[in-house]
Amino acid sequence: MRAEAVQDQEQAVEAAQERVDGTVAAASADAEHREAADTAVVGAAADSTRGSARDALVTAAEQARATLAASEGAVADDTVRQTLAAALAEADAALAADTASVATLRRVTSTTAAAQTATADAQAQWTQAQEQAAAAAARTPRPASTGGTTAAAAPPSCETTYTGPPFYTSPATEGGDGSNGKLPPSALAAISWDVDPRGTPYYLRTDAAAALERLNTAFRARFGHDLGLDLTYRDFATQVAMREALGTVAATPGTSSHGTGLALDVPELPCEYGWGTPQRDWLVANGPSYGWVVPSWARQNGSNPEYWHFEYRG
Ligand SMILES: [Zn+2]
């Protein structure tokens, strides 16, 4: 009996020990689970922060790409688009690199979004200016049809509208007395950015040339290139030759505004400077700020429409 009692006791102790072991194991497993769960929560939170930062950059890059494409040729100054392209390249690089930190993703998102907004704003301004120019052109009466042509309906062509013999701008008149077509070098200045096809500088009266330099700076800022020129100063001998060749379309020799160094002709290229082109509309709108105007006779509804002719009135 004693042996049985001992055996029972031993079994009881063994069972108790097993229960303790089981409880300890369970507690330990529980702790491991909790730890694993905690790690998973922290990791998920980090993944979610990085994921949302990355998502924001993906969205910003998509907008940037769309704006960059839509704004091509539709901003006054392409610098904003160049900045946007650089930001987009950085965004693409950050998205391609799995190691980009949350801080980097957020910074690139911010610069990309700012560049995108600046470009979109510049594009909106440009579009508004185009619409205003188009509205202004629509208000300008069409010229009376000349010679049976319907040029107004034809699309702008870049073939010259000039059909006469070639004439060139004139050098200063050595020993000139200062009258029309006889301006001495001291009365004239050459414009800085171009010469005519024969290498003759484009001369204008000194004050008109200085004003045109300022006008050209603004023109270049708007269009990205210098103002085109065809003829400026025209000496008396050339006025005589033009009158003989062209008849009354050319001014009576000694009366041309080109003879006083106060007129210029832009190239007779209708797609560039013709009626209703952005370039001509800009010149008509902005030229007067620099003293350069279109005389009433040269306007589209004037007595001798010449879209290429501008005069300096100071
Ligand atoms: Zn002219």
Side-chain angles (χ1 to χ4, degrees), residues 44-58:
D47 281 355
S48 135
T49 302
R50 191 168 184 285
S52 59
R54 202 172 182 285
D55 287 349
L57 181 53
V58 168

Side-chain angles (χ1 to χ4, degrees), residues 231 234 256-258 263-265 297 306 308-310:
L231 289 166
R234 184 176 297 151
S256 169
S257 53
H258 289 278
L264 68 83
D265 295 343
W297 62 260
E306 291 187 355
W308 54 86
H309 182 92
F310 295 83

Side-chain angles (χ1 to χ4, degrees), residues 26-120:
S28 166
D30 214 38
E32 272 172 32
H33 281 142
R34 263 205 309 278
E35 201 173 318
D38 286 352
T39 306
V41 167
V42 170
D47 281 355
S48 135
T49 302
R50 191 168 184 285
S52 59
R54 202 172 182 285
D55 287 349
L57 181 53
V58 168
T59 304
E62 273 172 13
Q63 285 181 354
R65 210 180 307 283
T67 300
L68 190 61
S71 62
E72 185 173 359
V75 291
D77 180 351
D78 211 49
T79 309
V80 287
R81 293 186 69 256
Q82 289 160 11
T83 304
L84 179 59
L88 182 57
E90 199 184 1
D92 285 342
L95 289 170
D98 284 339
T99 53
S101 68
V102 171
T104 299
L105 291 169
R106 284 179 177 159
R107 178 182 58 75
V108 178
T109 300
S110 166
T111 52
T112 303
Q116 187 268 333
T117 304
T119 304

Side-chain angles (χ1 to χ4, degrees), residues 33-287:
H33 281 142
R34 263 205 309 278
E35 201 173 318
D38 286 352
T39 306
V41 167
V42 170
D47 281 355
S48 135
T49 302
R50 191 168 184 285
S52 59
R54 202 172 182 285
D55 287 349
L57 181 53
V58 168
T59 304
E62 273 172 13
Q63 285 181 354
R65 210 180 307 283
T67 300
L68 190 61
S71 62
E72 185 173 359
V75 291
D77 180 351
D78 211 49
T79 309
V80 287
R81 293 186 69 256
Q82 289 160 11
T83 304
L84 179 59
L88 182 57
E90 199 184 1
D92 285 342
L95 289 170
D98 284 339
T99 53
S101 68
V102 171
T104 299
L105 291 169
R106 284 179 177 159
R107 178 182 58 75
V108 178
T109 300
S110 166
T111 52
T112 303
Q116 187 268 333
T117 304
T119 304
D121 287 351
Q123 188 188 352
Q125 282 173 13
W126 184 87
T127 304
Q128 193 183 14
Q130 297 299 110
E131 285 167 0
Q132 284 170 354
R139 285 195 297 273
T140 308
R142 291 280 173 197
S145 178
T146 53
T149 62
T150 52
S157 151
C158 241
E159 285 176 36
T160 179
T161 47
Y162 180 71
T163 54
F167 286 103
Y168 299 93
T169 202
S170 305
T173 308
E174 291 295 339
D177 62 9
S179 63
N180 189 306
K182 296 172 184 170
L183 299 186
S186 61
L188 297 169
I191 63 99
S192 65
W193 67 89
D194 202 7
V195 295
D196 96 331
R198 296 197 305 191
T200 307
Y202 286 112
Y203 286 108
L204 289 166
R205 201 172 78 182
T206 307
D207 53 345
L212 191 63
E213 294 284 346
R214 293 193 293 275
L215 172 69
N216 183 57
T217 298
F219 182 90
R220 193 173 54 228
R222 169 63 183 82
F223 293 103
H225 60 81
D226 290 314
L227 177 66
L229 291 173
D230 186 26
L231 289 166
T232 52
Y233 173 60
R234 184 176 297 151
D235 64 21
F236 190 81
T238 306
Q239 293 180 44
V240 171
M242 284 189 79
R243 179 73 168 200
E244 284 173 2
L246 303 176
T248 54
V249 169
T252 304
T255 68
S256 169
S257 53
H258 289 278
T260 56
L262 297 176
L264 68 83
D265 295 343
V266 295
E268 288 188 43
L269 297 172
C271 75
E272 278 195 50
Y273 294 103
W275 311 114
T277 56
Q279 287 89 333
R280 184 170 193 283
D281 286 345
W282 187 94
L283 288 168
V284 171
N286 296 280

Side-chain angles (χ1 to χ4, degrees), residues 285-311:
N286 296 280
S289 306
Y290 303 88
W292 282 92
V293 302
V294 179
S296 56
W297 62 260
R299 292 182 189 156
Q300 204 165 12
N301 58 351
S303 59
N304 186 24
E306 291 187 355
Y307 61 79
W308 54 86
H309 182 92
F310 295 83
E311 293 186 2

